[in-house]
Amino acid sequence: MTQGDDARIGLRERKKRETRVALSRATIGLCVQRGWDNVTVEDIAATANVSVRTFRNYFSGKAEAIAAGHLERMLCIADSLRARPATEPLWDSIAHAVRTQFVPQGGTGAGSAHDQRWTDGLRLMLAEPALHGEVVKANASAQEELAKAVAERTGTDVTHDVYPKLVAAVIGAGSAVAVEHCLRADPPTPLAPVLREVFERIAAGLPAS
């Protein structure tokens, strides 16, 4: 295979990933706006300016499309971890990768349209029973990709070593705890400082105080 072939395959895969993200965002937006039961695949396809067939090529239905938003964010965390300097301490790299994906640069994790869309999607995933099965599958795929990134970074074997899988599970759990804490806080709590606290505590070995 030539470099040109590799480039074309890379471009094709990137475009497919972008289409998945667009369809997921359209699904989340419509379901938040209209309610789960009032959105059809035809509505989503029309909003995303694609055919129903194209939607079906990517997702089996609304639930998988919404859960894909969570998976995409975790895949971006894995990509960001791979891009961090090799000399940087692992948990510093992980904390930076997580914050980069959950909190816009210079932001607090509250108030932006991007953050609001993510918050709305998470509320929907927590509230709609029909989504739970797809969320479980998305979490499994996310942890697999995170484990691969950790294995590459640490020189461990994702198949035979426990360590990369354990770290991936901790990344997912820490992120989920921070987000759920902020979603349920009254008054609302910015996400950035909670994420910082969560991953600082993890890096320190989870001291009680």
Side-chain angles (χ1 to χ4, degrees), residues 77-97:
I77 290 173
D79 290 343
S80 182
L81 177 58
R82 290 184 174 100
R84 298 300 299 168
T87 55
E88 186 175 52
L90 176 63
W91 284 102
D92 288 352
S93 295
I94 289 170
H96 184 277

Side-chain angles (χ1 to χ4, degrees), residues 30 36 50 59 68-69 73 82 86 142-143:
L30 286 174
W36 173 262
V50 300
F59 302 116
R73 178 158 291 197
R82 290 184 174 100
Q143 288 201 13

Side-chain angles (χ1 to χ4, degrees), residues 38-85:
N38 299 317
V39 175
T40 67
V41 169
E42 288 77 11
D43 295 332
I44 299 165
T47 298
N49 198 30
V50 300
S51 67
V52 171
R53 181 178 179 180
T54 295
F55 179 92
R56 296 291 189 192
N57 285 340
Y58 285 89
F59 302 116
S60 60
K62 295 183 292 184
E64 186 181 3
I66 290 174
H70 167 66
L71 174 58
E72 175 62 23
R73 178 158 291 197
M74 301 310 283
L75 293 178
C76 288
I77 290 173
D79 290 343
S80 182
L81 177 58
R82 290 184 174 100
R84 298 300 299 168

Side-chain angles (χ1 to χ4, degrees), residues 112-146:
S112 73
H114 182 274
D115 182 72
Q116 188 60 49
R117 182 173 61 244
W118 176 246
T119 299
D120 289 342
L122 278 173
R123 290 188 191 279
L124 186 62
M125 285 192 286
L126 291 171
E128 180 50 59
L131 282 167
H132 293 175
E134 290 296 341
V135 171
V136 169
K137 288 195 289 186
N139 276 330
S141 296
Q143 288 201 13
E144 182 178 342
E145 290 304 315
L146 285 170

Side-chain angles (χ1 to χ4, degrees), residues 168-198:
V170 172
I171 294 170
S175 301
V177 165
V179 170
E180 188 166 353
H181 176 82
C182 293
L183 285 176
R184 300 187 187 282
D186 185 19
T189 301
L191 181 55
V194 178
L195 279 172
R196 185 179 303 109
E197 178 185 356
V198 164

